[in-house]
Amino acid sequence: MKSVNEKSHTEMYAGLALFFSMYYVLGANPEILSQIGIPASAALLGTFLAIIVGNLCGAFATNTGLMIAPAIGISAFVNNF
């Protein structure tokens, strides 16, 4: 069984990984969508709003700290096809 200190380190690393993945989505998604003609500023705003609305809906619906971000794979699919 893990001690409290080991659990807190695990939670800290998970939070950092989540933060960096959200930061990556905010940078990569507008870049991918701008390649098909969507203005980068509009794509950034849309990505940011999707993250905020998705997380608030997820938090209130599940009563947890669930984090949701737009999938990079969907943006790549739209870009290629």
Side-chain angles (χ1 to χ4, degrees):
M1 187 164 197
K2 290 186 176 182
S3 68
V4 173
N5 195 21
E6 289 175 352
K7 288 181 184 178
S8 64
H9 281 108
T10 303
E11 295 288 331
M12 182 184 69
Y13 292 139
L16 281 172
L18 182 64
F19 172 78
F20 287 121
S21 66
M22 289 289 188
Y23 189 73
Y24 174 75
V25 167
L26 276 174
N29 207 21
E31 178 65 30
I32 293 169
L33 292 175
S34 69
Q35 293 175 0
I36 60 171
I38 298 173
S41 59
L44 178 63
L45 178 64
T47 301
F48 184 72
L49 290 176
I51 289 172
I52 295 298
V53 170
N55 289 328
L56 287 176
C57 289
F60 290 125
T62 62
N63 202 21
T64 64
L66 178 68
M67 298 297 288
I68 303 167
I72 296 292
I74 294 172
S75 297
F77 179 80
V78 169
N79 187 19
N80 291 325
F81 298 103

